[in-house]
Amino acid sequence: MHAIVAEIEGGDYQGAGKGSKDIKEILRKVGVDANTIRRAIIAVYEGEMNVAIHAYNGVLRAAITPDALEVIITDTGPGIPDIEQAMREGFSTAPPEARELGFGAGMGLPNIRRNTDRFSLDSTPGKGTTLHFSVFLEPGVLERVNASAITIKQEKCIKCLRCLNACPTQAIRIRAEGPEILRHLCIDCTVCMDVCPQGVFDMDCADDPPPAPGSGILIAPDALFGQFGPAIPRSAVREQLQELGWHEHLYIQHAETALFQAASDFALNEKTAGLGFIPVCPAVLNLIQLRYPSLIPYVLPFLSPMESIRDRLLTGLAVFVPSCPAQSALVRDCGILSPSTRLHPRNLAKSLLPRLQWSRTGTVSDDTVSEPPPCLIITGMRRVCQFLDKAERGLTEDCVLTALYACENGCYGSPVWETPPAVAMFRAKSGGGIIRDERLGPLYRIKPLVPRAGVRLDTDMVKAMKKLREIDRSCKQLPGRDCGVCGAPTCMTLAEDAVMGRAVLDACIFRNNSPGHESGAAKETDR
Amino acid sequence: MKLDLLRDKLGFRPLVILEDRTIDICSVYAGDRMSDLLAAASGSTLLVTHLTNHGIVRLIDLMDVPALCFLNGVHPDQDVLYSAKENETFLFTSPYDMYETCGRLFQLLNQH
Ligand code: SF4
Ligand code: SF4
């Protein structure tokens, strides 16, 4: 890793740009391709000028690894009161002397957005602004960063096919060695974890060594409080966390409430009429990107709670306890400048359990989640898909603010927890007092969600059409029973796998062995 | 289109003397907003602008601009000239205003 630090003075239009120049030299030396250097430099320079024009002073910190250029620019200054407005092209509050120099035309932040792969902006009016962005230097980094966080212990599989039938995106195939997940289709929804009787699936932070307590700020899910039986109040759990050495903890549920509040203000204040999704569950966002891209515009422009916290805790070590693989994937790679680790919720619960065997009361001041404003809440993958199917056809326009969770009863229902979701929720919510912490407020989503190319057969449309026809033809040769014995969830998916070179049609036992496969084909065409 | 045509055919004055590199220009971008210039800069684009101040130094430093043309016969600040030499960027100044400069460039680019 190569690190660069540069200071930027407010009003110093000449000095700004030094950091960009250094970074450019290094990127050149490392041999990054010219177009990527160009994008990176535009972003960094606009970031530096942004400080020179608007702030009192600021610091640019950059790190370069073979994968990415990561930049954090923090400034003290007046801050940005309305980020959505600031991101609009042409909106500017720059002083005249900056405009004379050709700056301050309201293109700076949009220009950064356009030229970066990740970009978040955190601003407190009256205090200052932090820009955080990355430019990926290699193709394929984005896929790696977004990859699903489900792990598989193939040897435990008994081939009961439950996961195969349950996966909502048909991402699972059962091979001779056990299940395989087609990662481009997986949305980290935890359904497979939930249905598997053997515990084959888990989330990928299981094997991380638990970080030394006390070494950072702990970000934990609320469901933790519901795991220790009826006689253990919330405050007792928090007290034990402190005794374990976690002096500072934040809870994702608080951030969720803040998001609900912000979403409801947003909906009230103008901008949305009709359907609006509160981006609360990252798995649901993945699902919308993959299967319902036409609904992307209905997702309100905020980051999900885990992402907001991640982007607000850029300095100091953060230890995340994600509730599910979807959250885990979000904090797997926070970049090099913002050190963070993950801790499996099961491990955390395990280390607390012996300390909470008996009934006890806590002495630390209590906190609880304030009631979020009313909105429609739909939980569980089956119901979520059902709702989205309807929404796609325009049948849910009356559901103004809607929060969708992949797990039943929201994050309390993640399969990592043992206590029944409703019970965990009930226990976690009893308490008094309200926590207000500005680090928990939702951040504006600057890089809009984009459709995921998962189901696309080919980047070339003509070739894709050809493959589609081939799939159709192959499918007619299959019996249409969708039995799953071949290892694919449906006959159609086997046909698709065969055309895409992931399987052979001969995997179907009926197609080869039974003389009835002709009649099977007839049945398929009847349908 | 080769750069020396600008001098020979259009009468633009070169401001820095560089070893003759025959850079091929495929497009021209004219504008006065730094963000636009940054976004338009490429290895084969001639930038045309009224700006002559220090921001231009950075533009030359950072973006590998092959050539820049100022307008109305205006000469840029000294540090722009230094930076152009260092980065081997051709600088011209056109005797015309932006409208006419661009018109002439357009014609020339279409001929060659
Ligand atoms: S997490 Fe969900 S999408 Fe991914 S393989 Fe499991 S069931 Fe399928
Ligand atoms: S649910 Fe899937 S992974 Fe689990 S045992 Fe059954 S077939 Fe194997």
Side-chain angles (χ1 to χ4, degrees):
Chain A
M1 182 189 96
H2 201 96
I4 289 171
V5 179
E7 306 217 339
I8 311 154
E9 275 303 311
D12 179 10
Y13 301 136
Q14 303 217 350
K18 279 201 208 88
S20 317
K21 203 172 171 191
D22 294 349
I23 291 174
K24 182 185 168 192
E25 284 311 310
I26 295 173
L27 292 180
R28 266 238 190 95
K29 280 182 197 149
V30 195
V32 177
D33 80 276
N35 192 39
T36 312
I37 296 189
R38 212 181 129 253
R39 287 173 48 222
I41 293 313
I42 292 181
V44 182
Y45 185 47
E46 292 277 16
E48 283 191 88
M49 278 315 291
N50 196 49
V51 176
I53 295 171
H54 296 284
Y56 314 136
N57 55 59
V59 181
L60 172 143
R61 290 188 300 136
I64 298 164
T65 61
D67 282 345
L69 162 75
E70 193 194 352
V71 177
I72 298 180
I73 302 177
T74 27
D75 69 47
T76 45
I80 304 172
D82 184 343
I83 292 181
E84 202 209 351
Q85 198 176 38
M87 291 308 303
R88 230 176 282 150
E89 304 203 347
F91 176 84
S92 174
T93 55
E97 63 271 21
R99 288 174 196 249
E100 259 165 44
L101 295 174
F103 289 100
M107 296 302 294
L109 293 177
N111 228 358
I112 300 179
R113 169 168 60 188
R114 200 170 316 123
N115 287 297
T116 50
D117 295 299
R118 294 202 285 192
F119 178 24
S120 73
L121 198 168
D122 179 6
S123 187
T124 318
K127 281 193 177 159
T129 302
T130 302
L131 304 179
H132 180 207
F133 57 81
S134 323
V135 176
F136 297 144
L137 305 180
E138 287 265 314
V141 178
L142 188 68
E143 284 76 42
R144 224 177 316 144
V145 168
N146 290 341
S148 103
I150 296 263
T151 59
I152 308 177
K153 290 212 177 68
Q154 288 188 320
E155 65 290 353
K156 286 197 190 168
C157 174
I158 53 169
K159 306 223 166 71
C160 68
L161 306 186
R162 287 185 209 184
C163 57
L164 190 72
N165 294 318
C167 173
T169 59
Q170 305 188 314
I172 297 181
R173 303 290 181 269
I174 306 293
R175 311 270 186 234
E177 329 72 75
E180 180 197 341
I181 292 180
L182 303 181
R183 298 286 166 175
H184 63 287
L185 293 177
C186 177
I187 55 166
D188 282 327
C189 69
T190 72
V191 166
C192 53
M193 289 166 76
D194 202 27
V195 296
C196 178
Q198 293 293 102
V200 167
F201 303 100
D202 199 356
M203 58 195 235
D204 79 347
C205 68
D207 300 326
D208 292 357
S215 52
I217 171 167
L218 184 77
I219 296 97
D222 247 41
L224 181 69
F225 298 114
Q227 307 302 319
F228 305 104
I232 313 289
R234 200 179 163 103
S235 56
V237 179
R238 294 183 56 222
E239 190 175 71
Q240 288 312 310
L241 278 174
Q242 286 190 346
E243 276 184 23
L244 268 176
W246 298 107
H247 296 300
E248 207 184 351
H249 359 128
L250 290 177
Y251 300 101
I252 296 161
Q253 237 64 27
H254 293 299
E256 225 169 84
T257 312
L259 171 65
F260 274 62
Q261 194 60 57
S264 111
D265 293 347
F266 182 88
L268 264 186
N269 278 348
E270 55 192 303
K271 309 167 190 174
T272 43
L275 190 62
F277 296 115
I278 305 178
V280 68
C281 167
V284 170
L285 295 182
N286 293 343
L287 177 68
I288 291 178
Q289 288 173 283
L290 183 76
R291 284 262 300 272
Y292 305 93
S294 66
L295 295 176
I296 288 178
Y298 296 95
V299 179
L300 301 181
F302 297 100
L303 294 181
S304 67
M306 199 62 159
E307 291 171 285
S308 295
I309 298 182
R310 174 196 71 192
D311 287 343
R312 281 189 190 269
L313 298 178
L314 290 175
T315 45
L317 178 69
V319 179
F320 293 98
V321 186
S323 313
C324 65
Q327 288 186 355
S328 185
L330 291 177
V331 290
R332 166 177 43 208
D333 169 39
C334 300
I336 348 138
L337 289 169
S338 35
S340 73
T341 32
R342 293 173 298 168
L343 178 58
H344 199 293
R346 213 180 292 127
N347 292 352
L348 182 63
K350 230 187 261 162
S351 57
L352 281 167
L353 197 59
R355 301 167 155 265
L356 290 162
Q357 294 287 34
W358 294 282
S359 134
R360 57 196 309 161
T361 46
T363 49
V364 297
S365 72
D366 220 340
D367 74 295
T368 192
V369 186
S370 61
E371 274 309 307
C375 70
L376 198 62
I377 293 181
I378 295 168
T379 72
M381 217 40 207
R382 204 165 68 84
R383 295 294 176 208
V384 166
C385 288
Q386 190 184 32
F387 182 86
L388 291 175
D389 282 335
K390 291 250 184 305
E392 204 170 37
R393 285 185 281 143
L395 300 175
T396 57
E397 283 303 310
D398 51 335
C399 307
V400 178
L401 272 181
T402 308
L404 305 164
Y405 293 88
C407 296
E408 249 160 79
N409 285 17
C411 300
Y412 300 96
S414 164
V416 297
W417 304 116
E418 314 249 297
T419 312
V423 177
M425 184 157 152
F426 166 74
R427 286 184 188 152
K429 285 208 167 153
S430 41
I434 292 170
I435 278 221
R436 287 202 198 287
D437 189 315
E438 59 188 28
R439 290 172 297 184
L440 292 168
L443 287 178
Y444 184 77
R445 183 183 294 279
I446 288 178
K447 283 272 215 208
L449 293 172
V450 287
R452 243 169 78 171
V455 284
R456 197 162 60 188
L457 296 173
D458 202 301
T459 39
D460 179 345
M461 218 161 30
V462 178
K463 282 192 193 142
M465 292 299 284
K466 201 167 142 239
K467 285 185 181 161
L468 204 61
R469 276 197 299 277
E470 262 175 70
I471 292 172
D472 241 19
R473 212 174 315 127
S474 311
C475 199
K476 295 219 171 87
Q477 301 174 30
L478 298 170
R481 300 176 193 202
D482 294 347
C483 64
V485 176
C486 61
T490 61
C491 293
M492 178 63 107
T493 41
L494 177 63
E496 187 178 324
D497 283 359
V499 170
M500 301 297 279
R502 294 191 288 253
V504 286
L505 281 187
D506 283 349
C508 175
I509 52 167
F510 299 105
R511 180 169 176 265
N512 292 330
N513 302 344
S514 96
H517 92 260
E518 279 303 324
S519 65
K523 204 172 71 203
E524 175 72 19
T525 32
D526 285 351
R527 282 212 257 164
Chain B
M1 174 179 84
K2 299 280 184 270
L3 270 179
D4 29 345
L5 282 180
L6 296 185
R7 183 192 57 207
D8 300 345
K9 289 239 161 131
L10 299 185
F12 292 3
R13 276 244 320 271
L15 299 175
V16 280
I17 311 300
L18 297 170
E19 293 284 296
D20 194 9
R21 296 176 308 159
T22 40
I23 300 172
D24 222 353
I25 292 296
C26 307
S27 61
V28 176
Y29 184 88
D32 291 339
R33 298 199 302 194
M34 195 53 83
S35 292
D36 294 345
L37 292 173
L38 286 169
S42 86
S44 59
T45 303
L46 168 70
L47 297 178
V48 179
T49 182
H50 286 109
L51 299 173
T52 51
N53 51 56
H54 191 82
I56 293 295
V57 174
R58 286 285 180 237
L59 185 70
I60 294 172
D61 271 2
L62 296 174
M63 301 310 300
D64 298 322
V65 184
L68 258 163
C69 179
F70 303 103
L71 298 164
N72 303 321
V74 167
H75 284 233
D77 305 348
Q78 197 60 39
D79 46 354
V80 175
L81 296 179
Y82 280 138
S83 152
K85 259 196 203 119
E86 204 170 287
N87 291 283
E88 305 203 350
T89 303
F90 281 85
L91 295 186
F92 294 94
T93 181
S94 145
Y96 314 109
D97 64 4
M98 189 182 265
Y99 175 72
E100 210 173 333
T101 305
C102 289
R104 283 167 193 258
L105 281 169
F106 183 80
Q107 261 185 349
L108 191 67
L109 201 59
N110 278 353
Q111 283 165 14
H112 294 269

